[in-house]
Amino acid sequence: MKVRTRFAPSPTGYLHIGGARTALYSCLYAHHNKGETVLRIEDTDLERSTPEAVAAIIDGLNWLGLNFDEGPFYQTKRFDRYKEVIAEMLEAGTAYYCYCTQEELQEMRDRAEANKEKPRYNGKWRPEAGKVLPAIPEGIKPVVRFRNPVDGATSFDDLVHGTITFQNSELDDLIIARPDGTPTYNFCVVIDDMDMGITHVVRGDDHINNTPRQINILKALNAPVPQYAHVAMILGDDGQKLSKRHGAVSVTQYRDEGYLPEAVLNYLIRLGWSHGDQEIFSWDEMVELFDLKDVNKAASAFNTSKLLWLNQHYMIEKDPADLATLLVPYLNALGIEPTDMAYLAEAVKAHVARCQTMVELAEMIQYLYVTELTYDEESVAHHLTAESKPVLMALKDDLAALDVWESAELKGAMKALTKTMNIKMGQIGMPLRTAIVGRAQSPNLDETLMLVGKERTLARLETAIAKIG
Ligand code: GLU
């Protein structure tokens, strides 16, 4: 049988990092088994679902490059189908109308609470052989309940957690349609998984309690029961449940903070799954190696420094011209509109190893695009001094005299100056960097000088000399 997985987000907010991992695992498992994967939007909670959230989730998935073979399907567009199955179940006796009033239900809850028990339905309207049901009260719109088996147990072999068993007596007769006829959450999931031919359900372990209820409904419908893989939650670096407090939680916020999708995907696969001690995985390797049975049971803790490390790896690995294209929006955010892409690629190449995010890279090369440099106070205080002034003046003259502005000539001019002034290279390098970059850090001096260009270098040296006074 062909493996079919699905990702089924509820559009009540952005795509968070936990959801993205579930989506990734669903896609990988399908690809690994040469199967298919479906995107389903679980938007039946009309009050909490918004079109903006749907768009944000799809945007997040697209940015990560997670593609689905089918969908998006929207549950709100399938109400007729759910109603049809509810009617069939009422007909078959696997579901029934319940006319209990709010007061009666409240009483059941209060009684359970007083006895320190789980609140449960008392079965008043549940049909049983030989049982006479009460007369149908007037003016009450009934709910529809699933006639859950009372005896025995429901077990499933979770691919992550192993066998999980629930006693049916604990499960209660779930409401599957509200008084206005709209289907409830667990019911829609079941009908969709059945109709969409889902063979493997990958989802957060906060859904474990729903699973036996869903399995019992599937069995009542004579539908095949999929395999389940409940993935543990993600914790923050402090061991608490991951939340906004820990920084970015929406996937697109990682994009905004300058992470590459490859790094986020590579990070996410390792967050709860491993293959020996390998840390770097290409997409093809992920597809080849991933298996749900190797996913960890225990919750995984988020580790920002590891994500940064991966991001740097993927930034360095990328072709500078491609990285330059990806860098444009980050430069735009700083008010820079690069036009010469070959130049930008050179700038990227020279600086990429010195930063961990695209935001950092954009900020780092800003000095190549501004007309007025911003100076780092500390660098100025240390390096633009009375002692460095004559060095900068001499250097300016020597550089001005160069006809060729290439690495060998630039290096030669600086070396010659160390000899004539009897100084060390650092005594040239630090003041020079501060003068042309605005801070005492930059790639190799010759590379930096070439990127800044002769004219601007001389002008910036002039400004720095004047700054010293
Ligand atoms: N819509 C659910 C959620 O966003 C997932 C349900 C499922 O995967 O079965 O948590």
Side-chain angles (χ1 to χ4, degrees):
M1 196 176 25
K2 196 171 220 177
V3 165
R4 279 175 63 90
T5 65
R6 85 303 196 269
F7 176 53
S10 302
T12 53
Y14 42 71
L15 177 64
H16 56 80
I17 207 80
R21 185 185 56 172
T22 305
L24 172 65
Y25 286 5
S26 300
C27 286
L28 288 177
Y29 192 71
H31 289 317
H32 177 80
N33 291 289
K34 308 218 169 0
E36 289 157 351
T37 188
V38 174
L39 176 60
R40 176 167 91 218
I41 306 291
E42 302 204 319
D43 54 352
T44 50
D45 184 343
L46 299 175
E47 269 160 35
R48 295 178 59 225
S49 304
T50 64
E52 292 76 27
V54 173
I57 290 170
I58 292 178
D59 183 28
L61 293 170
N62 285 342
W63 178 65
L64 287 172
L66 294 177
N67 300 316
F68 294 83
D69 298 288
E70 290 172 28
F73 298 111
Y74 293 84
Q75 289 188 324
T76 43
K77 298 207 176 122
R78 290 178 38 83
F79 274 21
D80 288 348
R81 170 64 182 148
Y82 304 136
K83 284 184 184 164
E84 180 182 76
V85 182
I86 288 169
E88 281 167 21
M89 291 175 75
L90 284 166
E91 181 70 31
T94 50
Y96 62 93
Y97 286 115
C98 164
Y99 293 86
C100 282
T101 60
Q102 285 306 322
E103 293 72 37
E104 281 178 286
L105 293 171
Q106 190 56 48
E107 216 174 278
M108 289 175 216
R109 281 193 286 269
D110 292 346
R111 195 168 318 136
E113 202 180 317
N115 295 337
K116 297 198 166 39
E117 287 165 3
K118 263 209 251 168
R120 47 183 310 113
Y121 175 59
N122 65 8
K124 182 173 172 183
W125 292 91
R126 179 182 164 108
E128 303 286 0
K131 174 176 163 185
V132 181
L133 292 175
I136 293 178
E138 270 189 39
I140 294 207
K141 281 207 165 154
V143 297
V144 178
R145 286 185 186 270
F146 170 60
R147 197 171 181 284
N148 195 70
V150 278
D151 300 323
T154 300
S155 272
F156 57 98
D157 291 324
D158 191 280
L159 289 167
V160 176
H161 293 266
T163 305
I164 300 181
T165 305
F166 288 83
Q167 294 306 314
N168 284 329
S169 57
E170 280 175 30
L171 297 178
D172 227 357
D173 283 0
L174 189 78
I175 295 176
I176 58 174
R178 301 185 185 87
D180 65 1
T182 55
T184 56
Y185 169 73
N186 272 298
F187 185 73
C188 300
V189 171
V190 166
I191 305 312
D192 288 349
D193 285 342
M194 173 176 84
D195 287 355
M196 296 170 191
I198 303 303
T199 59
H200 292 78
V201 170
V202 184
R203 63 186 172 199
D205 64 5
D206 48 332
H207 288 282
I208 286 184
N209 285 335
N210 288 330
T211 305
R213 300 170 209 280
Q214 296 180 1
I215 290 177
N216 283 340
I217 301 177
L218 284 165
K219 284 184 177 161
L221 291 165
N222 293 318
V225 176
Q227 285 208 272
Y228 294 90
H230 288 96
V231 181
M233 67 166 119
I234 300 175
L235 306 175
D237 341 45
D238 56 358
Q240 302 294 311
K241 192 172 181 230
L242 192 69
S243 73
K244 281 202 180 126
R245 262 182 319 112
H246 298 99
V249 279
S250 115
V251 161
T252 42
Q253 203 177 329
Y254 284 96
R255 170 185 64 195
D256 300 345
E257 291 186 4
Y259 293 90
L260 295 178
E262 295 90 328
V264 175
L265 286 177
N266 193 149
Y267 181 74
L268 286 176
I269 193 178
R270 283 283 293 106
L271 200 57
W273 173 89
S274 55
H275 178 72
D277 48 18
Q278 187 173 340
E279 289 293 355
I280 309 279
F281 296 87
S282 67
W283 177 259
D284 289 345
E285 278 176 309
M286 290 192 202
V287 170
E288 191 193 318
L289 299 170
F290 182 77
D291 197 337
L292 285 169
K293 67 177 175 33
D294 300 325
V295 170
N296 294 341
K297 262 190 233 176
S300 334
F302 203 85
N303 179 340
T304 308
S305 49
K306 188 158 161 201
L307 176 57
L308 282 167
W309 174 77
L310 280 167
N311 203 49
Q312 183 169 42
H313 165 84
Y314 282 101
M315 282 172 66
I316 293 173
E317 201 184 55
K318 229 183 215 337
D319 178 62
D322 294 340
L323 200 62
T325 307
L326 293 171
L327 192 66
V328 171
Y330 299 95
L331 288 168
N332 292 161
L334 298 173
I336 299 165
E337 308 278 344
T339 45
D340 183 344
M341 291 307 287
Y343 176 77
L344 181 55
E346 286 304 314
V348 161
K349 204 163 142 186
H351 294 82
V352 66
R354 310 174 70 85
C355 51
Q356 293 183 298
T357 70
M358 298 293 272
V359 169
E360 269 178 33
L361 179 56
E363 284 169 355
M364 196 173 277
I365 65 168
Q366 208 173 356
Y367 75 96
L368 295 171
Y369 289 92
V370 291
T371 38
E372 240 171 81
L373 268 191
T374 315
Y375 294 92
D376 167 54
E377 295 291 329
E378 211 171 302
S379 304
V380 171
H382 279 97
H383 305 297
L384 296 188
T385 58
E387 292 84 73
S388 66
K389 189 173 174 182
V391 177
L392 290 175
M393 287 169 72
L395 182 66
K396 187 175 154 261
D397 291 342
D398 293 353
L399 293 179
L402 287 180
D403 291 327
V404 180
W405 198 259
E406 295 291 348
S407 180
E409 288 71 14
L410 292 164
K411 279 187 189 158
M414 289 186 282
K415 191 133 200 246
L417 192 64
T418 57
K419 295 222 169 92
T420 51
M421 295 189 82
N422 194 21
I423 52 175
K424 296 207 169 71
M425 196 46 123
Q427 289 169 272
I428 298 179
M430 292 307 169
L432 175 59
R433 285 191 167 94
T434 309
I436 63 171
V437 177
R439 56 178 183 269
Q441 296 97 31
S442 81
N444 294 337
L445 282 170
D446 53 323
E447 262 182 295
T448 313
L449 285 164
M450 281 159 66
L451 284 168
V452 176
K454 183 170 179 181
E455 206 180 307
R456 284 200 300 181
T457 298
L458 298 179
R460 286 180 184 187
L461 279 169
E462 181 82 59
T463 309
I465 292 163
K467 227 172 145 57
I468 299 172

